Amino acid sequence: FTRVVSTAILMLLAWKSFATGFERLFGISLAVSIFVAPGVVDAHVLETLGETSKKMYGRLRLWTAVSWGAGSFAMGIVSDKF
């Protein structure tokens, strides 16, 4: 349910006549953050995984964070140049 709601809210960003101005963009961001809570998602994933897969989950989260940081840094450079 939360995936559907958060996806529908995110689609408001594509609606140019609605997603204008700081207040509306802030409202969309706030609404999405209500339906997407990383801690809840992590708990659900850990509950779903078996005991052996739980050991790999920490490694996956680590490299996800490292790649996100590297990608953000690279996109910062790209957006500065172009």
Side-chain angles (χ1 to χ4, degrees), residues 5 8 11 13 15 19 22 25-26 37-38 40 43 47 55 57 65 68 72:
V5 172
M11 291 188 70
L13 291 173
W15 192 9
F22 175 77
L25 291 175
F26 181 74
V40 173
E47 182 180 318
K55 294 175 185 173
Y57 184 70
W68 184 88
S72 296

Side-chain angles (χ1 to χ4, degrees), residues 2 18 36 41 50-52 62:
T2 58
F18 184 79
V36 179
V41 173
E51 285 299 318
T52 56
L62 169 69

Side-chain angles (χ1 to χ4, degrees), residues 2-72:
T2 58
R3 260 189 225 166
V4 173
V5 172
S6 62
T7 302
I9 294 169
L10 279 173
M11 291 188 70
L12 290 174
L13 291 173
W15 192 9
K16 288 185 180 184
S17 62
F18 184 79
T20 57
F22 175 77
E23 293 83 11
R24 288 186 180 180
L25 291 175
F26 181 74
I28 292 171
S29 297
L30 183 65
V32 167
S33 68
I34 290 170
F35 286 98
V36 179
V40 173
V41 173
D42 285 344
H44 178 68
V45 169
L46 286 171
E47 182 180 318
T48 304
L49 292 174
E51 285 299 318
T52 56
S53 298
K54 285 183 182 180
K55 294 175 185 173
M56 298 296 293
Y57 184 70
R59 263 189 227 154
L60 176 68
R61 291 284 294 168
L62 169 69
W63 288 110
T64 301
V66 168
S67 65
W68 184 88
S72 296

